[in-house]
């Protein structure tokens, strides 16, 4: 069964511009306008979005009627949510270093990068079984985990993938394996 998967990262928020671990903040006005001005997306059999406000607003700005899927939610940053990376570095330098260097670490009490990867891979495998084209509006962390899954890369590769706001990543599955798709 062939499946096409189009990931769209939600638009920018004040938190992302300030280097904060996200809460459930809205899109910036500029991001809403940028999303509305994006080129038309191909028809999809299924459209899903993270339950986060910023992802749902991105779907709305794109003119997409998406079902909310909690599996597409951002990485749970636990007690770090809403704090800046600089503040965490000052308050918990060992914890931040552990989180950045050990994909199994959970110094914030939320979700490890390994667990995020398992969650995302399971969602992708379920979508692959359904076939067709699916569009998923989610978060940079979720899309990074998806790329690592497709490449069968170690969880430590998570930090080597840069996903910008409103970035699009395309993938395809033939039912046995996923691959990245690059289009012009």
């Amino acid at each position: 069964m062939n499946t096409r998967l189009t990931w769209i990262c939600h638009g920018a928020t004040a938190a992302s511009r300030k280097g904060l671990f996200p809460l459930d903040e809205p899109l910036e006005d500029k991001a809403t306008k940028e999303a509305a001005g994006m080129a038309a997306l191909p028809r999809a059999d299924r459209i899903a979005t993270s339950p986060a406000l910023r992802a749902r607003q991105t779907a709305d700005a794109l003119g997409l009627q998406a079902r909310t899927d909690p599996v597409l939610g951002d990485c749970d940053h636990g007690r770090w949510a809403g704090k800046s990376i600089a503040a965490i570095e000052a308050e918990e330098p060992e914890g931040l270093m552990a989180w950045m260097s050990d994909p199994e670490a959970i110094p914030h009490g939320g979700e490890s990068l390994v667990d995020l990867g398992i969650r995302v891979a399971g969602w992708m495998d379920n979508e692959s079984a359904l076939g067709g084209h699916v569009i998923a509006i989610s978060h940079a962390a979720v899309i990074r985990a998806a790329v690592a899954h497709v490449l069968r890369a170690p969880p430590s590769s998570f930090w080597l993938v840069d996903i910008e706001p409103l970035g699009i990543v395309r993938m395809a599955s033939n039912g046995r394996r996923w691959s990245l798709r690059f289009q012009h």
Side-chain angles (χ1 to χ4, degrees):
M1 174 111 29
N2 291 324
T3 304
R4 289 182 305 135
L5 172 55
T6 302
W7 289 101
I8 303 172
C9 186
H10 64 75
T13 66
S16 62
R17 298 259 188 237
K18 295 176 183 175
L20 302 176
F21 286 93
L23 292 169
D24 196 20
E25 66 274 345
L27 291 179
E28 292 179 329
D29 289 340
K30 181 180 175 186
T32 302
K33 291 174 186 164
E34 288 173 351
M38 288 175 67
L41 295 164
R43 187 193 69 73
D45 299 298
R46 297 174 306 286
I47 303 171
T49 184
S50 159
L53 178 60
R54 58 198 179 275
R56 291 180 292 133
Q57 287 179 326
T58 299
D60 290 345
L62 291 167
L64 301 174
Q65 293 189 359
R67 66 178 166 79
T68 300
D69 190 331
V71 180
L72 295 177
D74 204 352
C75 185
D76 178 359
H77 295 107
R79 69 177 180 280
W80 292 357
K83 293 184 176 184
S84 71
I85 292 172
I88 300 303
E89 186 173 32
E91 296 167 12
E92 300 181 52
E94 298 86 12
L96 184 61
M97 182 56 70
W99 183 64
M100 299 284 294
S101 61
D102 178 2
E104 294 181 4
I106 314 172
H108 44 58
E111 180 178 33
S112 74
L113 298 180
V114 168
D115 290 339
L116 172 66
I118 291 168
R119 172 168 53 99
V120 172
W123 184 86
M124 290 173 65
D125 291 344
N126 287 338
E127 289 299 319
S128 179
L130 298 174
H133 181 213
V134 61
I135 294 174
I137 300 96
S138 193
H139 310 273
V142 170
I143 300 169
R144 283 183 187 140
V147 170
H149 174 61
V150 168
L151 296 177
R152 297 179 184 156
S156 60
S157 67
F158 177 87
W159 299 112
L160 302 176
V161 179
D162 188 21
I163 306 293
E164 294 191 8
L166 299 177
I168 297 175
V169 176
R170 291 178 175 87
M171 301 175 174
S173 172
N174 63 6
R176 294 182 305 280
R177 67 174 180 81
W178 284 95
S179 61
L180 291 176
R181 296 184 72 201
F182 295 93
Q183 296 175 291
H184 58 81

